[in-house]
Amino acid sequence: MFEPKIIAFYCKWCTSAGADLAGTSRQKYAPNIIGLRVMCSSRVDPEHILNAFKNGADGVLIGGCHIGDCHYQSGNIQTLKRIKLLKMLIKDIGINEKRLRLEWISAAEGKKFVKVVNEFTDEIRKIGKLNYKKI
Amino acid sequence: MKKIGVFVCHCGINIASMVDIPAVVVELKNYPGVAHIEDYKYMCSQPGQDLIKKRIKEKELDGVVIAACSPNLHEETFRKASKSAGINPYMCEIANIREQCSWVHTDKKIATQKAIKIIRSIIEKTKYDEELKPIEIPITKKALVIGGGIAGIQTALNIANSGFKVILVEKSPSIGGKMAQLSETFPTLDCSQCILTPKMVEVAQHKKIQLMTYSEVEDVSGFVGNFKVKIKKKASYVDFDKCTGCGICTEKCPSKTPSEFNEQLGKRKAIYTPFPQAVPNKPVIDKDNCIYFKTGKCKICEKVCPFDAIDFQQKEEIVTLEVGTITVATGYDLYEKANMEEYGGGKIKDVIDGLTFERMLSASGSTDGEIVRPSNGETPKEVVFIKCVGSRDPENHYPYCSKICCMYSAKHAMLYKHRVPDGQAYIFYMDVRTAGKGYEEFYQRVAEEDKVIYLRGKVSKLYSEDGKVVVNGVDTLSGENIEINADLVVLATAIRPSVGIEKLVNILKIQMDKNGFLTEAHPKLRPVESLSAGIFLAGCAQAPKDIPDTVTQASAAASMVSTIFSRKKLYHDPLTAGVDEDLCSGCNICVGVCPYDARELNSEKGVVEVNEGLCEGCGACSSACPSGAAQQNNFTDNQLNRMIRTILS
């Protein structure tokens, strides 16, 4: 079975804490994902995401606080705008937009974190390997 | 190249059982930049920390990576240890291989490979971490408190008694707030004014407190320790320096209008103090109801004033002040009866809300403490109290519990029975919530000794008929339909944040929840802080609460303020984003995305400048900057791209 490489960017305050909660609750999820902790999802530059695809990522997950709960008031709104636009752009260059996923996962949502990671891994598995060089 | 030490923690078996630690050590031993690698059973223990310190000195390490639990747990611990061994704490980074690796996977081989990648990515970050120092911020040791109810009064007094200056701003002509309107307070039946007015006087006389009534906050800029506040002093048309509060003007004023303080039950004059114990006890002219302002003729107050204090030319004034902290204690308003169509929509005279009933009960109210029907002045013999009016009704009104209604409705029914012993009181309820010291005992007294009839059910409808208010409800315990021909109905309408809170929220750039209550930084552990540093919350502005809880929170807010003021300087996390002036084109994009107004275009230099005190370090500007000029400290594009490549390698 194809095992995709997935990279994730978690904000420190919500999604990374949600991932920690999944761990503390000993919930299990697909190991394909490796997370990178930033202060806020708004620190994730579209260039970082393109760079990830270029370097072999089959899927990229961005996790932030729910709208209205951002530790930095409106950072996640910037993220929302950027990811929406970037999804259109990657589609144009031939990357399935489903390879890029944005989720709001709070520090209390360990279960949601697990669900999202498993779902996303399965989805990317179905979509298959990203052959960036062909793009 | 930096010499990096990697310390891998077993966490007993928490990590070691799922991650093959010897394999990790072998794998990373020759990784570029790694000068030393070592594993230990419990890295966070004192021997573990001592080991790290020893190796830092021995191997002359420049950076440290601890592969262990979540940074949320021990980042601080390890940074302190690193600092004590002589390296900059920001050169110590945590690789989370427990919560985000060993605890969530079941295949040891895969988990080990994942742990190695996680650690490598953090090594890459550490290689390019820069030495950072907390940013020092001076403090203006003066506190602003917004709202002069019991929450604001308590906050102001506590801060002032700690020796710091306070500015207390109140929008109405007197401090006292809702508590000043109450008759007696549950569960001890203390007279509200008797316990409140001494505190009001203390505020007025306190050398450290500057009282600004009839004033509103118009603008706030700056940050913790250094806020700049613009306060609008509304025109009172009375020179407070000359006025002695003798009251002759009020006595002679010919214009009468319903009294807000008495909840429209009685009248007040156009030049007025809201109530006899008002602080300051000096009148203001209500322009909308003043005959002179309406017709250009009258000025009786000016003629009768013995001190020449009336000044019709007075203009509103904007005062700019510098303060170090802000406490928001703006309280509540009751949900308008007009919103309750099913309960007459505010059109039936004998259907009143709880505060109006308080004014009726109060000895200083317009009825001198007598309970009367507003429609005809007669004593009501059948009184219905309805709880949860607009509260706990997510479909139609507010979803939350207003918290105080169970107790005050019980108190209302009791006080009614004390004054009209041959009358009957009914309380319609969904639940009776009496969590509080002495509250349950109070409720039992009301139900048993005062023979108040509690009916478990909601009132579906009420309407006016033959001079009575017909109340239709169901007693869900007996299953019977109930119809009561009431003389008076008292609605325990929901507590909502004070009208106009949205404007203040925007001015302060703090957050509120969907019901308008101010959001605390953490619902359990930081309940008196807002999410903006230096802005604190007290009282019902944050959530519905009773007087003891309000005073508790106000005291806590004051203590937070004193904690800040007790320091010489404040220190700010240096994970801020700067500007590389050589790269910045002055496009202004970062200015627009900054949630804190920390970035500003210097049009002379053509580059953006950063106020580090305001920057909270989200990094939104770093990703928005098209030229890479706005790099967030220790989260640079270079670092993140290297981490990405390492994870995917």
Side-chain angles (χ1 to χ4, degrees), chain B residues 441-637:
Chain B
E441 297 90 321
F442 183 84
Y443 156 62
Q444 293 297 343
R445 260 167 67 202
V446 172
E448 286 163 19
E449 289 173 26
D450 293 304
K451 309 265 182 305
V452 170
I453 298 174
Y454 271 79
L455 297 161
R456 189 177 200 278
K458 276 202 99 167
V459 171
S460 55
K461 199 178 166 191
L462 52 81
Y463 54 93
S464 188
E465 193 176 87
D466 300 334
K468 296 268 187 180
V469 184
V470 184
V471 180
N472 284 329
V474 188
D475 179 357
T476 54
L477 296 181
S478 67
E480 276 174 50
N481 285 332
I482 307 250
E483 185 174 295
I484 299 167
N485 286 321
D487 297 314
L488 183 68
V489 174
V490 183
L491 304 177
T493 43
I495 277 191
R496 47 146 298 174
S498 63
V499 174
I501 188 80
E502 298 85 0
K503 189 186 161 200
L504 189 62
V505 161
N506 285 333
I507 290 172
L508 292 167
K509 298 186 196 79
I510 54 174
Q511 291 182 17
M512 58 182 188
D513 66 19
K514 62 178 189 295
N515 301 310
F517 290 109
L518 303 178
T519 307
E520 60 280 5
H522 188 281
K524 292 187 176 59
L525 302 177
R526 295 168 70 193
V528 297
E529 294 163 74
S530 76
L531 279 166
S532 297
I535 303 182
F536 302 100
L537 315 172
C540 287
Q542 181 252 342
K545 51 179 75 73
D546 56 21
I547 297 167
D549 281 359
T550 296
V551 172
T552 307
Q553 195 184 21
S555 305
S559 135
M560 296 298 295
V561 170
S562 303
T563 306
I564 289 181
F565 289 172
S566 63
R567 297 183 209 156
K568 280 194 180 128
K569 271 182 181 160
L570 290 176
Y571 295 95
H572 192 69
D573 195 353
L575 294 174
T576 52
V579 174
D580 183 334
E581 293 196 356
D582 294 337
L583 291 176
C584 179
S585 66
C587 72
N588 229 9
I589 291 175
C590 61
V591 175
V593 301
C594 177
Y596 302 97
D597 293 336
R599 305 177 79 84
E600 202 177 352
L601 181 68
N602 180 333
S603 39
E604 258 176 48
K605 284 166 83 180
V607 294
V608 166
E609 286 173 349
V610 182
N611 182 335
E612 283 198 317
L614 280 177
C615 175
E616 289 285 331
C618 61
C621 54
S622 301
S623 14
C625 177
S627 61
Q631 292 292 335
Q632 184 179 11
N633 287 341
N634 290 355
F635 283 96
T636 61
D637 285 333

Side-chain angles (χ1 to χ4, degrees), chain B residues 8-13 16 21 39-45 48 51:
Chain B
V8 189
C9 178
H10 295 220
C11 192
I13 56 162
I21 289 176
D39 60 296
Y40 188 72
K41 210 167 172 76
Y42 289 105
M43 217 45 106
C44 62
S45 67
L51 176 89

Side-chain angles (χ1 to χ4, degrees), chain B residues 134-407:
Chain B
I135 299 156
E136 284 187 6
I137 304 168
I139 311 168
T140 306
K141 294 187 181 181
K142 195 192 264 186
L144 172 69
V145 178
I146 309 172
I150 180 60
I153 289 173
Q154 185 71 30
T155 310
L157 284 174
N158 280 14
I159 299 170
N161 287 336
S162 303
F164 303 110
K165 285 182 184 163
V166 182
I167 296 150
L168 178 59
V169 175
E170 164 59 44
K171 70 177 173 188
S172 70
S174 169
I175 57 169
K178 293 283 190 289
M179 188 175 167
Q181 288 179 279
L182 306 182
S183 55
E184 291 161 44
T185 53
F186 61 79
T188 46
L189 300 183
D190 297 271
C191 147
S192 186
Q193 289 204 338
C194 310
I195 54 178
L196 177 67
T197 45
K199 278 184 181 283
M200 291 164 60
V201 172
E202 198 185 337
V203 165
Q205 293 175 346
H206 207 296
K207 281 193 181 114
K208 296 274 182 188
I209 300 178
Q210 181 188 345
L211 185 56
M212 293 178 78
T213 49
Y214 218 42
S215 301
E216 286 182 46
V217 174
E218 286 290 295
D219 187 48
V220 172
S221 60
F223 50 95
V224 57
N226 300 273
F227 292 107
K228 202 172 239 182
V229 185
K230 282 188 180 148
I231 296 166
K232 180 174 82 185
K233 282 175 86 174
K234 292 181 267 193
S236 62
Y237 307 105
V238 175
D239 184 338
F240 281 8
D241 292 336
K242 291 182 185 165
C243 173
T244 62
C246 69
I248 294 174
C249 54
T250 303
E251 202 185 308
K252 301 288 182 195
C253 173
S255 174
K256 282 184 180 176
T257 187
S259 155
E260 296 87 353
F261 185 78
N262 280 325
E263 296 293 329
Q264 326 291 325
L265 277 181
K267 302 262 184 191
R268 66 158 169 85
K269 298 291 183 66
I271 182 163
Y272 72 110
T273 49
F275 53 104
Q277 303 91 330
V279 169
N281 203 350
K282 304 205 172 166
V284 298
I285 295 179
D286 160 17
K287 203 176 170 183
D288 296 339
N289 290 297
C290 169
I291 296 171
Y292 169 72
F293 279 112
K294 284 201 288 195
T295 66
K297 282 181 192 158
C298 182
K299 289 196 172 182
I300 290 177
C301 49
E302 193 181 62
K303 283 171 208 142
V304 298
C305 178
F307 306 100
D308 198 19
I310 308 294
D311 176 9
F312 286 106
Q313 306 307 316
Q314 201 181 71
K315 297 267 177 295
E316 70 175 35
E317 195 185 336
I318 301 283
V319 184
T320 304
L321 293 163
E322 284 178 7
V323 296
T325 63
I326 300 171
T327 305
V328 190
T330 46
Y332 70 94
D333 278 309
L334 286 184
Y335 191 43
E336 289 282 332
K337 291 195 298 287
N339 298 312
M340 303 303 304
E341 253 333 294
E342 59 272 44
Y343 297 156
K347 289 178 197 124
I348 306 171
K349 269 195 161 179
D350 294 326
V351 178
I352 60 174
D353 63 24
L355 263 183
T356 314
F357 196 62
E358 290 287 344
R359 292 315 300 149
M360 227 181 236
L361 291 169
S362 171
S364 69
S366 60
T367 62
D368 296 327
E370 210 180 309
I371 299 168
V372 296
R373 305 184 67 202
S375 61
N376 59 11
E378 287 173 9
T379 304
K381 295 293 182 186
E382 300 261 308
V383 180
V384 172
F385 297 89
I386 307 176
K387 300 202 295 186
C388 297
V389 177
S391 310
R392 303 178 68 197
D393 188 351
E395 279 89 36
N396 306 305
H397 305 287
Y398 291 117
Y400 55 84
C401 165
S402 289
K403 201 169 178 183
I404 62 170
C405 321
C406 282
M407 288 307 294

